[in-house]
Amino acid sequence: MFSPLPRPLLCLAAGIGLFMMPAFAQARDITVFAAASLTDAMGDVAKAYEQQNPDDNVRLSFASSSTLARQIAAGGPAEIFVSANEKWMDWLSEQDLLEAGTRRDLLGNSLVLIAPKDSKLSNITLDTKSDLTRLIGKDDRIAMGDPDHVPAGIYGKQALGKLGMWEKTESRLARADNVRAALALVEHGESPLGIVYGTDAAISKGVKIIATFPANSHPAITYPVAVMKDMKNPASTRLLDFLKSPDARAIFGQYGFTLPQ
């Protein structure tokens, strides 16, 4: 049978409860929108964060940076956004959707040419004398993110243009919704070649890197991160700080991302 606490103990319990309430109030879900190329690395970073902050829960949503930015602009519930290029973070900034002082460059990447693991192609040189269309059949297409909006595709178009290959390859592209979709086309043998980030190729058992695009053929691949405006969740700041921590940087480094100083 339930027995009420003596009055002094009841007051003490109430006091303890009031003292603890702010700590519980600060622990909540954190919704992160992140570029598709971060799927594996960010998943591991989120697990590491939750181990250190057991009262917080990180919810991850992955897609093309363009898709996520548009969702945020339309009222999507992101508290933190990690873009695969500056363009879409700039676009949100222009609409005054970023919390002042929270934007920073988080990661870097490389751009590579891939082929299925069993392809006879290997060690291709990419320069102004290259012609990727000569490496594929007449009905084949080269997989890459849609260069009209997907960051990996935008970088790919810039690199192909710099090397004088864009006009020849434009009509031979399989335009994917995001870089992971382009990777899948090559993994499944639907495309004999693909242009993806180095980190995407590194996590796949079904493809191999046959060339790396020269660094001067495209702008530096940068992943900016920021907290969205008017997000009053203290956990968002905790997670943003953790993304810059040695623990998080070690995980990103294991996946092949470059780490700005």
Side-chain angles (χ1 to χ4, degrees), residues 111-115 126 132 142-145 152-153 155-157 159-160 165-166 169 173 178-179 182-183 186 193-197 200 213:
L111 192 69
V112 300
L113 183 68
I114 60 172
L126 294 175
L132 298 184
I142 301 167
M144 63 185 267
Y155 289 122
K157 179 180 178 179
L160 292 171
M165 290 187 277
W166 175 247
T169 57
L173 297 177
N178 58 64
V179 69
L183 178 69
V186 183
L193 292 176
I195 299 173
V196 300
Y197 296 128
D200 295 302
F213 283 88

Side-chain angles (χ1 to χ4, degrees), residues 68-77 91-92 95 97:
L68 297 173
R70 291 184 179 120
Q71 289 178 355
I72 292 170
W91 185 72
L92 291 176
Q95 299 179 66
L97 293 176

Side-chain angles (χ1 to χ4, degrees), residues 122-195:
S122 62
N123 299 325
I124 303 299
T125 298
L126 294 175
D127 56 28
T128 55
K129 298 178 181 179
S130 303
D131 183 357
L132 298 184
T133 62
R134 293 183 180 179
L135 304 177
I136 62 176
K138 64 177 183 178
D139 297 322
D140 290 331
R141 292 182 176 273
I142 301 167
M144 63 185 267
D146 190 333
D148 288 339
H149 64 90
V150 177
I154 295 172
Y155 289 122
K157 179 180 178 179
Q158 291 168 328
L160 292 171
K162 182 74 171 182
L163 297 175
M165 290 187 277
W166 175 247
E167 291 185 2
K168 291 182 178 180
T169 57
E170 181 179 8
S171 63
R172 305 294 303 278
L173 297 177
R175 299 174 179 236
D177 289 337
N178 58 64
V179 69
R180 286 299 174 90
L183 178 69
L185 289 174
V186 183
E187 287 177 324
H188 299 153
E190 296 177 42
S191 292
L193 292 176
I195 299 173

Side-chain angles (χ1 to χ4, degrees), residues 2 19 24 35 41 56 80 83 93 104 117 146 169 177 203:
F2 174 77
F19 177 76
F24 284 112
D56 293 347
I80 292 177
S83 174
S93 179
R104 62 213 58 185
K117 200 74 171 181
D146 190 333
T169 57
D177 289 337
I203 58 93

Side-chain angles (χ1 to χ4, degrees), residues 32-43 60-69 81-85 109 145 150-152 176-183 196-197 199-201 203 223 255 257:
V32 179
F33 282 14
S37 54
L38 286 165
T39 300
D40 300 271
M42 190 62 77
L60 301 171
S61 179
F62 300 102
S64 168
S65 299
S66 57
T67 298
L68 297 173
F81 176 46
V82 190
S83 174
N85 69 353
N109 214 329
V150 177
D177 289 337
N178 58 64
V179 69
R180 286 299 174 90
L183 178 69
V196 300
Y197 296 128
T199 53
D200 295 302
I203 58 93
Y223 288 68
Y255 279 94
F257 289 96

